[in-house]
Amino acid sequence: MLTLSQRVTIPAQELEFQMIRASGPGGQHVNKTSTAIMLIFDVKHSPSLPEHYKSRILARAHPNLTPGGKIIIKAQQHRSQEMNRQDALSRLKAMIDAAMVVQKKRIATKPTRASQKRRLDSKKRQGQTKKLRQGKPGSYD
């Protein structure tokens, strides 16, 4: 069971774990044991997730989210299967928590009178500099 908040939990029946062999170096041990974990969670068809959770998670672009609405997480950091299972669960929880964070709306502000004056003064200075650079053709022969 994965607890997301006081009201929202995901039961273990909705989480599918597949044991797979870890890739990378490790000698003979890695070739004969399945220590890596692949966690598959179907967001779209989950009865325990509220609709606003589903819509927020599915709206975000994430590499672990398939077009069919499933989250697939592969955990192979640790040498034991149980530690990889815990790692996959914590990454799933972090992904769902990140999707539920509401961005603070930006309130547009007017530029101050002093900043407007500074901008216009710098434009006038730049114009004066360009005017000084203009010379009459043939005057320096």
Side-chain angles (χ1 to χ4, degrees), residues 72-138:
I72 300 175
I73 297 175
K74 183 178 179 186
Q76 60 178 9
Q77 290 288 99
H78 306 284
R79 290 176 63 110
S80 75
Q81 204 175 75
E82 188 54 38
M83 288 181 74
N84 282 330
R85 182 189 306 262
Q86 293 303 319
D87 182 37
L89 286 172
S90 65
R91 285 169 46 195
L92 175 65
K93 184 178 181 340
M95 184 178 164
I96 294 173
D97 288 345
M100 295 312 296
V101 172
V102 178
Q103 289 288 327
K104 194 169 118 179
K105 188 175 179 185
R106 183 186 179 277
I107 300 171
T109 58
K110 284 186 173 181
T112 61
R113 186 173 288 158
S115 69
Q116 288 177 346
K117 185 176 178 349
R118 282 193 302 269
R119 184 178 67 84
L120 293 177
D121 287 346
S122 74
K123 284 170 71 83
K124 284 179 186 172
R125 274 195 308 276
Q126 186 69 20
Q128 289 296 324
T129 304
K130 286 178 176 269
K131 194 158 197 91
L132 289 173
R133 289 180 189 160
Q134 292 176 352
K136 294 190 172 101

